[in-house]
Amino acid sequence: MAQHHIETLAVHAGRAIDPVTGAVVPPLHFSTTFERAHDGSYPRGFAYARENNPTRQALEQALATLEGGAVAAAFASGNAATSAVFYALKPGDHVILPAETYHGTRLIAQRFAQQWGLQVSFVPMDDLDAVRRAFRPNTCLVWVETPSNPRLFISDIAQIAALAHAHGARCVCDNTLATPVLQNPLALGADLVTHSTTKYIGGHSDLLGGCVIAREHDAFFERIRDYQVLGGAVPSAFDCWLLLRSMQTLPLRVRAQSASALRVAHFLAQHPRVRRAYYPGLPTHPGHAIAAAQMRDGFGGIVSFELAGTEAEALALAGRLRVFTHATSLGGVESLVDHRASVEGAHSVLPRSLLRLSIGLEHPDDLIADLDRALASL
Ligand SMILES: *Cc1c(COP(=O)(O)O)cnc(C)c1O
C-alpha cells in the first residue's frame, strides 16, 4: 500500500474484505471483551477494548499509513493525544513549544506539564535563531504546529527537526491544520505527528478524536501506547468507524477547501475593512516560501483576518454572516467563523478584532458574497 497515492491510501488503508461475511465495508465491533482459548491465551490478539479492539486497530493502521509512519495510537480527543506525548516525558525534561500554538496545547503545558516537573519554554517557532537559543542540556522535545492555529504562522519542520536531533531531542508536529494531504512532517524529519481528528480527518463536526503517529516504533512510542491503554482516554469503536469512513474523502475535501480558502484570502486581503489577512498561500505571508516548499496541493482551509475595527464590530460581523455559522472548531464540511479572543478568554494574546474562518465545501462565490455583504453592513 505504501507506494500508492494518498487518494488510494485514503480509500483502502486499514480496510480489508471481511473474511467471515465478504462485507466490503468493515464491520463495527462494539464488544468490550474477547474470548480466551482453553490455555488462557487470546488467539485472535484481542482481550479487552481499552487495550485494543479491531475497529481502533484498523483506524490506527490507516492513520499511520496516511502519514507514512510505522505506528499510531488513537485517542478520545486531540488534547488527549497531546497529553499522551507529555506523559511520556520525565520530570526535569525541558520542552520547547511555539509561542502561538492551539490554546489547549498551551494550557496543558502550563497547567499540568509544569506541575509534573517538566520545564517548558514558549518561542516564536518561525524564528530559527530564537529556537536555537532556547535549547538547554535537558531539552528532549520540540513541539511544532504549522500552520499554527489561529494565525497560520509557518515554521520550518526540516530545520527545526534537524536542530532538535542535533541536541538529542525529538521533534513533534501537530499536523491538524495541514492534514497528511498537504504536509507529511515525518518525511521532513519529525519523529511524531499529532492530530485532532475532530477536525479535518473527522471532517463532519460530529465526533471528537485525536492521534499520535510515530516514524519509528521505539521505546518512546511504547510509553505513549502504555499511557493510551492505562490512561484510558480512548475513542469509542463507533467514532473509530466514523473516522475510517470520513478518511476516504479526506484528500478531496481538503483540496476543495484549500482552493476555496485561497480565493477567500485574496478577497479579504484587498478589502478596505480588513486590516490584515493571514493565509500562508498569499505571497505576502512571511512564511509563504517555506509553506510552498514543505506543503503541496494547497495551503489549507483556514483563513484568519483582522478587521479594521473594534472587537464589537468583529463580533457583529460574525453574527451577520449567513452561510458561515458563528461557532468554534474547524475542518468540517460547513463553513464556520470564530472569534478566538473571546473563546480563549481574558488571557488571550490574540488581536481583539481577529476572526478565524474554517472554509467548508460550499461554493466559494457564495462564501465571498456572504463576507462581502456582511462587511458592507458594518
Ligand atoms: C482542535 C485542536 C486541537 C485539540 O483537539 P480536540 O480534539 O479539540 O481535543 C489540537 N491542535 C489543534 C491544532 C487543534 O486545532
Side-chain angles (χ1 to χ4, degrees):
M1 265 299 186
Q3 70 279 18
H4 285 111
H5 295 90
I6 193 154
E7 295 83 353
T8 311
L9 298 175
V11 171
H12 292 288
R15 307 165 82 95
I17 302 298
D18 180 45
V20 178
T21 62
V24 171
V25 173
L28 168 48
H29 293 282
F30 281 117
S31 189
T32 53
T33 188
F34 299 85
E35 190 187 29
R36 298 175 72 170
H38 292 304
D39 63 358
S41 67
Y42 299 96
R44 299 166 193 91
F46 297 102
Y48 183 61
R50 174 159 43 69
E51 294 165 8
N52 199 3
N53 69 75
T55 313
R56 188 172 95 209
Q57 181 170 285
L59 172 65
E60 290 175 345
Q61 276 172 7
L63 289 166
T65 303
L66 286 198
E67 281 288 9
V71 66
F75 290 89
S77 70
N79 276 5
T82 301
S83 303
V85 176
F86 286 114
Y87 258 107
L89 303 174
K90 296 186 301 300
D93 284 348
H94 174 235
V95 182
I96 302 173
L97 287 127
E100 172 160 297
T101 182
Y102 172 68
H103 84 132
T105 305
R106 190 173 65 240
L107 294 179
I108 290 167
Q110 288 173 335
R111 292 193 196 158
F112 294 96
Q114 281 184 319
Q115 289 179 26
W116 304 329
L118 296 179
Q119 299 167 15
V120 300
S121 309
F122 294 90
V123 305
M125 279 290 162
D126 48 355
D127 177 351
L128 279 178
D129 284 329
V131 179
R132 217 173 266 123
R133 284 195 300 273
F135 281 92
R136 300 177 189 170
N138 55 336
T139 303
C140 61
L141 199 81
V142 184
W143 190 280
V144 176
E145 182 184 313
T146 181
S148 68
N149 187 353
R151 279 180 288 178
L152 298 316
F153 296 155
I154 298 295
S155 32
D156 189 324
I157 300 170
Q159 296 268 14
I160 294 168
L163 278 177
H165 296 158
H167 289 84
R170 287 184 173 76
C171 175
V172 184
C173 182
D174 182 336
N175 205 29
T176 299
L177 261 58
T179 83
V181 179
L182 306 181
Q183 177 173 280
N184 288 116
L186 300 180
L188 295 164
D191 303 284
L192 297 164
V193 163
T194 64
H195 281 279
S196 167
T197 54
T198 311
K199 311 295 171 54
Y200 287 100
I201 296 178
H204 297 75
S205 308
D206 56 7
L207 62 86
L208 279 172
C211 67
V212 181
I213 301 157
R215 186 152 41 84
E216 283 168 39
H217 193 160
D218 58 7
F220 191 77
F221 181 80
E222 274 308 311
R223 292 269 300 157
I224 291 169
R225 176 70 84 200
D226 211 23
Y227 174 69
Q228 176 201 32
V229 166
L230 293 173
V234 291
S236 74
F238 186 47
D239 285 347
C240 293
W241 189 89
L242 284 173
L243 281 166
L244 275 166
R245 176 185 170 132
S246 294
M247 200 184 287
Q248 296 185 295
T249 54
L250 179 71
L252 290 177
R253 285 187 280 110
V254 168
R255 286 207 195 99
Q257 286 161 319
S258 296
S260 295
L262 181 63
R263 289 196 46 198
V264 169
H266 277 294
F267 165 76
L268 290 170
Q270 57 74 43
H271 198 284
R273 288 303 313 258
V274 172
R275 181 176 300 135
R276 184 161 171 199
Y278 296 88
Y279 189 67
L282 293 174
T284 50
H285 186 289
H288 177 69
I290 295 168
Q294 73 185 7
M295 301 175 79
R296 59 167 178 274
D297 286 356
F299 298 89
I302 306 299
V303 183
S304 292
F305 66 101
E306 277 173 57
L307 191 68
T310 62
E311 172 169 11
E313 286 177 302
L315 282 163
L317 176 70
R320 285 181 205 172
L321 290 166
R322 292 184 195 139
V323 183
F324 288 86
T325 300
H326 184 185
T328 197
S329 200
L330 56 96
V333 297
E334 65 289 304
S335 291
L336 301 177
V337 55
D338 195 14
H339 182 253
R340 291 304 299 163
S342 53
V343 170
E344 294 190 5
H347 301 296
S348 177
V349 298
L350 294 171
R352 306 304 300 188
S353 72
L354 182 92
L355 293 173
R356 184 187 71 195
L357 304 177
S358 172
I359 302 300
L361 290 177
E362 302 93 342
H363 197 287
D365 290 348
D366 297 335
L367 298 175
I368 289 169
D370 196 31
L371 287 162
D372 201 22
R373 185 193 42 75
L375 281 163
S377 78
L378 285 179

